Amino acid sequence: MARVRYGARTEAEIVAARTASARLPDIWSTGVVAVWETAPDAVAAVLPPPLKPTGRPLARVNISKVDLPGYPLGAGSFAVAASHDGVDGWYPLVMPMTHERALIGGREVFGEPKKLGEVVVEREGLVVRAFLARHGIAFVEVRGAVAGALPLPEPAQKTDFYFKFLPAVDGSGFDGDPVLVHCLRNEKVRRLERITGDVVLRESMYDPVADLPVRRLVEITIGEKTSDQRGKVVERVDARALLPYVHQRYDDPAQVLDGPPVGSA
């Protein structure tokens, strides 16, 4: 009988797939990063407990194109500065990806707030334009001109915070306690340039980043970097405290309460 592809994989196949993914070479991306000071009350409003604001109300957008073997990937992140248990890092609100493969792994394994979207980085000479778009709206755009090279930073470890959860089958909350994940990235940079320009935030009911306005621009850069990542569950989270923030993950807040249609079998 021909092999049934939805059938169980052998232990050897599972180990081979895991080993192959662990041996991936450095994957370099070209990305635009903008950081700015925003409204402190807005940062505090979007952070689910136990995350807390840092001493500086920062927002950051990262817009990258990634040289994945076989196909290019656009990857983005819009995040605010946050702190947990003495660790400072970033709490992403939305992470647009251009391919389903990048979307699924991040959401299901780490709890990343990834969504399918359009991610564009363009450079013509010294002129740079990069944006994140969904539902036909470029909800964040960075534009400017390269103003010169910057010293390369030393390799560094950076932290992102994610909440991993499953909405309950009956729509009453969660199936099991949500967990807070620290995602640790070891980052290396091989090229970095400063950009003189601006950040434009556009109104979108799906990605309301305009609620975190640009009060004072800190920096815009374009560079080439590579990083690995590993996550660890640091604590279980009070489901009642997290539930008011779950709508951040969905375009339609009612999705978190979606259940089987009446009369379905």
Side-chain angles (χ1 to χ4, degrees):
M1 184 181 75
R3 180 173 184 180
V4 179
R5 287 167 290 177
Y6 272 127
R9 287 186 170 183
T10 66
E11 181 66 23
E13 289 173 321
I14 294 172
V15 171
R18 186 183 302 123
T19 302
S21 65
R23 289 198 305 259
L24 286 174
D26 287 345
I27 297 173
W28 293 89
S29 65
T30 299
V32 173
V33 179
V35 180
W36 63 92
E37 290 184 352
T38 187
D41 55 345
V43 172
V46 301
L47 293 176
L51 299 183
K52 297 179 180 179
T54 64
R56 194 176 184 191
L58 296 177
R60 181 195 69 185
V61 64
N62 189 329
I63 308 171
S64 299
K65 56 182 181 180
V66 188
D67 298 325
L68 282 179
Y71 63 93
L73 167 69
S77 173
F78 188 106
V80 296
S83 180
H84 173 253
D85 198 22
V87 177
D88 287 347
W90 295 92
Y91 174 62
L93 295 169
V94 60
M95 300 177 69
M97 300 284 137
T98 56
H99 292 296
E100 186 180 30
R101 182 177 181 180
L103 181 91
I104 291 173
R107 286 180 68 104
E108 296 187 5
V109 177
F110 293 96
E112 295 172 329
K114 290 184 173 180
K115 299 177 180 180
L116 286 174
E118 186 179 359
V119 181
V120 173
V121 178
E122 299 173 330
R123 177 171 182 172
E124 186 172 344
L126 298 179
V127 178
V128 175
R129 176 175 178 258
F131 65 85
L132 304 176
R134 299 181 65 251
H135 301 287
I137 303 168
F139 58 90
V140 56
E141 180 176 349
V142 182
R143 55 199 184 189
V146 174
L150 291 170
L152 296 183
E154 293 294 323
Q157 186 175 89
K158 300 183 177 181
T159 303
D160 278 356
F161 305 115
Y162 305 126
F163 291 93
K164 185 176 179 180
F165 57 82
L166 283 175
V169 172
D170 63 4
S172 64
F174 302 105
D175 281 332
D177 292 333
V179 296
L180 174 60
V181 174
H182 284 198
C183 183
L184 308 176
R185 289 187 172 85
N186 295 302
E187 183 178 286
K188 295 185 293 185
V189 179
R190 69 182 181 186
R191 183 177 181 181
L192 191 64
E193 296 171 289
R194 180 171 59 89
I195 292 177
T196 299
D198 60 1
V199 177
V200 178
L201 305 178
R202 296 188 178 91
E203 177 57 36
S204 170
M205 64 179 289
Y206 305 104
D207 303 289
V209 300
D211 293 345
L212 293 145
V214 181
R215 291 276 180 88
R216 190 180 77 84
L217 193 59
V218 176
E219 66 175 3
I220 306 175
T221 60
I222 185 169
E224 297 178 5
K225 67 181 180 181
T226 185
S227 64
D228 58 20
Q229 74 177 48
R230 61 182 179 87
K232 61 178 182 179
V233 173
V234 294
E235 66 175 86
R236 297 200 173 272
V237 178
D238 182 346
R240 290 172 297 180
L242 180 62
L243 193 60
Y245 299 87
V246 171
H247 66 92
Q248 295 174 345
R249 194 67 57 90
Y250 304 97
D251 287 348
D252 179 359
Q255 283 181 285
V256 73
L257 300 177
D258 282 353
V262 174
S264 63

